[in-house]
Amino acid sequence: MKQEILQITKNKVKEKLEKSDQKIINLSLIVEKLQLKINELTELLKIISDQEYPSIDQILGIKDYCKFYLLEDKSQISTLNFKEEEEIKKILDYNIGITIEKDVKEITNKLCKNILELIDTKEKIDLKIDTLIKENYINLYNIATPKIACKMIEIAGSFERLSRYPASTIQLLGSEKSFFKALKFNKKTPKYGILYNHPLIINLTNKKKAKIARSLASKIALGLKADVEKKDISKDLINKIKTKISEINE
Amino acid sequence: MNKQIILKNQKIFTKNNLTEKVREWDPNRSKVAAGIKKGIMPNIKEDDKVLYLGAAEGYTISYISDILTKGKVYGIDISPYSMQKLLILAEKTENIIPILGDCNKPFEYNEIIKKKFDYIIQDIAQKNQAEILIKNSDIFLKEKGLALLSLKLSAISQKNHKKTIDDQINILRNKFRIINQKRLDPFEKNHMLILLEKK
Ligand SMILES: C[S@@+](CC[C@H](N)C(=O)[O-])C[C@H]1O[C@@H](n2cnc3c(N)ncnc32)[C@H](O)[C@@H]1O
């Protein structure tokens, strides 16, 4: 009897843990933490590198900054194909950076390579998350965009739970903290959660934002139901949202 | 009192009947142990069948297992991560039976269990904690059976409203007689442990 139940439980546990949504949630957690580590290590690198090449970190993102730092002969900067090339050249021409000893440079180069390695790992994970969402939840992927889709699954805790949420919950997803704050201080409750970052919403005026967020949330709710049934109705839903936006803009 | 529970120098221990091993039971990690410190004796008999809702990784269940020299404890939890660890514990222990399930849907695991219990322990931080206990005791608890419920007050009411909490306790009164109830401070903040008897 006990053996039977143990076997049932084992199978169920494995089945649950092997589901794509759980993989997505775990990978997304790793990506978030990895990004923090990358930022932290970059700060360490800059303690020294910023004195050698002041202000360059203001111009380049972390990945390009590291590539620039590792380039041995800075006069070859055009090989890196940065659009910020002219700006950087100007700063280099001021020639106010210090020169550091070879053995210290070896250390900072190593640190820099470590950072690039972590960035590479992070990009591989991002790609895997993207593929997992696309392969399994195509409507959510297309309507919500991959980043927001991932975040929504993460907040809900599972795809199954997310797919059962009504549109009103989806619209507010991610605003839970500010939602309770608003209730507590009798402020207006927020009208949008992470959906606020959606490319179709982010540039609208506040008044329009709320309207489109509502429509978008309802389409996502429909899309999720279609994902459960493995049907792709995303094109149709996106067209409906776009119609709504042009109506509002008239 | 169950003879596997040993109180000594302000500390709580359990003794395993088979291995003779004595282990300390930390009231900061287990609400049942915290309850003992606060004067709620769980009154679990050595041959009871216990249903444990919200078993997690099995810290408390491992002590319940010691207490049940002739009984069994069925542990339910919804988290597959916790269940992996509970499974490992269950492999090592004769009388722990782990089940992955949602305590809001007791009919689902009733298909596997198909048994009545003498005792239910519940430690789940959900808004409808009282309702979950009632649903489960309707199906599983024998008449006059006992239930030990840990109520996380902040899960019921964000602002710790006395009325909301009283409402939950009143729901329980319909089906149970309250034997004892205590807050678990300083071991757990915002928790109340309630010992109940099914009417
Ligand atoms: C505070 S922990 C329990 C700790 C455990 N009683 C101990 O002392 O070792 C609460 C547990 O309830 C589980 N849980 C939450 N909602 C549940 C539900 N609807 N059904 C079953 N378990 C649930 C969580 O996964 C978590 O493991």
Side-chain angles (χ1 to χ4, degrees):
Chain A
M1 183 62 198
K2 170 164 178 180
Q3 284 313 317
E4 259 169 57
I5 296 185
L6 276 181
Q7 201 50 50
I8 295 176
T9 303
K10 267 186 206 169
N11 294 346
K12 265 201 200 159
V13 162
K14 283 194 186 156
E15 191 187 303
K16 276 256 155 70
L17 291 179
E18 278 160 7
K19 275 191 182 166
S20 337
D21 58 344
Q22 294 309 311
K23 284 185 198 150
I24 291 168
I25 291 172
N26 286 334
L27 289 174
S28 148
L29 205 71
I30 297 177
V31 162
E32 275 167 32
K33 301 263 174 196
L34 213 47
Q35 186 60 55
L36 294 179
K37 280 276 172 281
I38 291 167
N39 297 347
E40 209 176 293
L41 289 180
T42 310
E43 287 308 311
L44 297 187
L45 172 69
K46 281 191 211 158
I47 293 174
I48 292 175
S49 66
D50 197 36
Q51 298 172 12
E52 298 176 74
Y53 306 106
S55 294
I56 304 291
D57 65 322
Q58 307 291 315
I59 302 170
L60 296 174
I62 296 179
K63 192 174 175 184
D64 285 347
Y65 181 79
C66 289
K67 282 189 189 158
F68 164 81
Y69 188 76
L70 286 176
L71 181 70
E72 237 167 79
D73 180 359
K74 299 289 188 271
S75 69
Q76 298 295 308
I77 184 166
S78 59
T79 59
L80 292 175
N81 287 322
F82 290 156
K83 58 179 188 308
E84 302 88 347
E85 188 177 324
E86 288 311 311
E87 224 179 319
I88 294 169
K89 272 187 183 157
K90 239 188 242 161
I91 295 180
L92 290 178
D93 282 343
Y94 293 148
N95 196 18
I96 45 174
I98 62 164
T99 310
I100 61 170
E101 296 109 310
K102 214 170 144 224
D103 46 355
V104 177
K105 184 79 184 173
E106 256 170 44
I107 296 169
T108 49
N109 273 354
K110 202 161 203 159
L111 183 56
C112 198
K113 280 181 198 154
N114 282 332
I115 296 171
L116 278 176
E117 191 64 36
L118 286 182
I119 292 177
D120 183 62
T121 308
K122 182 187 161 287
E123 286 173 352
K124 290 217 167 75
I125 302 177
D126 274 332
L127 204 66
K128 178 66 190 172
I129 294 176
D130 196 272
T131 316
L132 277 172
I133 301 179
K134 198 169 175 177
E135 282 175 359
N136 293 285
Y137 317 113
I138 187 67
N139 294 288
L140 184 63
Y141 181 92
N142 282 337
I143 306 167
T145 73
K147 278 247 143 53
I148 294 176
C150 174
K151 204 77 212 155
M152 285 186 161
I153 296 173
E154 206 185 316
I155 295 173
S158 73
F159 170 77
E160 201 196 332
R161 208 173 303 158
L162 180 62
S163 70
R164 276 188 272 121
Y165 284 161
S168 56
T169 306
I170 288 172
Q171 190 184 339
L172 287 174
L173 216 57
S175 71
E176 287 78 5
K177 268 202 192 114
S178 50
F179 187 72
F180 284 123
K181 216 187 233 166
L183 283 184
K184 205 164 174 177
F185 299 112
N186 287 325
K187 296 234 174 73
K188 263 201 222 160
T189 51
K191 291 200 173 50
Y192 27 74
I194 45 171
L195 259 193
Y196 168 80
N197 300 306
H198 194 283
L200 289 177
I201 294 186
I202 198 156
N203 292 321
L204 299 174
T205 60
N206 275 349
K207 213 173 184 172
K208 288 179 185 168
K209 264 183 185 145
K211 278 198 179 132
I212 300 304
R214 195 175 325 128
S215 144
L216 195 55
S218 75
K219 298 300 174 288
I220 289 175
L222 290 175
L224 285 164
K225 306 270 181 304
D227 278 329
V228 174
E229 291 162 20
K230 302 275 167 218
K231 284 185 205 141
D232 183 358
I233 57 168
S234 57
K235 266 213 188 85
D236 184 36
L237 292 174
I238 290 171
N239 282 337
K240 283 188 178 141
I241 299 164
K242 289 197 168 142
T243 316
K244 180 101 191 177
I245 293 179
S246 46
E247 272 170 29
I248 281 185
N249 281 334
E250 264 163 23
Chain B
M1 192 178 78
N2 186 293
K3 64 180 192 308
Q4 306 308 124
I5 303 177
I6 304 160
L7 302 177
K8 207 168 145 189
N9 301 334
Q10 310 285 331
K11 288 182 178 160
I12 311 169
F13 302 84
T14 60
K15 184 173 174 189
N16 187 292
N17 214 27
L18 292 174
T19 61
E20 303 265 297
K21 214 163 136 189
V22 174
R23 294 185 305 138
E24 186 175 349
W25 195 358
D26 183 354
N28 291 305
R29 289 184 64 193
S30 166
K31 283 148 214 155
V32 180
I36 294 176
K37 288 289 285 182
K38 300 282 291 195
I40 299 188
M41 270 301 152
N43 284 334
I44 300 170
K45 292 191 287 307
E46 58 183 14
D47 58 353
D48 272 351
K49 283 201 172 52
V50 178
L51 180 65
Y52 196 118
L53 309 173
E57 297 171 6
Y59 181 75
T60 300
I61 263 198
S62 71
Y63 293 91
I64 303 296
S65 154
D66 282 347
I67 294 172
L68 297 172
T69 51
K70 294 181 201 130
K72 280 196 170 32
V73 53
Y74 285 63
I76 321 276
D77 204 285
I78 199 170
S79 154
Y81 302 98
S82 298
M83 197 50 66
Q84 279 183 313
K85 304 195 176 94
L86 192 62
L87 271 164
I88 292 172
L89 180 68
E91 295 276 1
K92 290 191 291 197
T93 324
E94 194 73 22
N95 57 2
I96 298 177
I97 298 157
I99 295 171
L100 185 70
D102 180 348
C103 294
N104 278 302
K105 300 170 185 162
F107 45 89
E108 285 183 7
Y109 43 82
N110 187 27
E111 285 176 18
I112 314 178
I113 298 180
K114 291 187 213 124
K115 262 194 189 49
K116 289 275 183 188
F117 290 82
D118 306 290
Y119 206 114
I120 295 183
I121 302 176
Q122 176 179 317
D123 182 9
I124 293 178
Q126 295 278 342
K127 238 193 161 78
N128 59 340
Q129 293 166 90
E131 188 197 333
I132 293 179
L133 178 62
I134 288 172
K135 270 191 209 170
N136 279 275
S137 63
D138 279 349
I139 298 183
F140 296 110
L141 194 58
K142 291 178 188 165
E143 212 171 298
K144 298 272 170 202
L146 296 182
L148 189 61
L149 170 68
S150 151
L151 268 186
K152 184 172 181 183
L153 304 178
S154 54
I156 302 170
S157 160
Q158 277 282 320
K159 292 185 204 161
N160 226 328
H161 272 152
K162 191 171 175 307
K163 181 168 179 314
T164 331
I165 292 159
D166 288 346
D167 284 349
Q168 289 277 310
I169 293 177
N170 281 332
I171 298 176
L172 292 168
R173 278 187 212 280
N174 292 331
K175 302 264 180 173
F176 294 97
R177 185 174 73 80
I178 294 181
I179 299 177
N180 201 345
Q181 78 184 62
K182 289 259 157 61
R183 289 184 71 109
L184 291 181
D185 318 75
F187 306 106
E188 290 281 349
K189 276 186 210 142
N190 257 313
H191 277 79
M192 176 117 71
L193 196 71
I194 312 178
L195 183 62
L196 307 138
E197 185 189 57
K198 188 172 175 178
K199 277 184 186 168

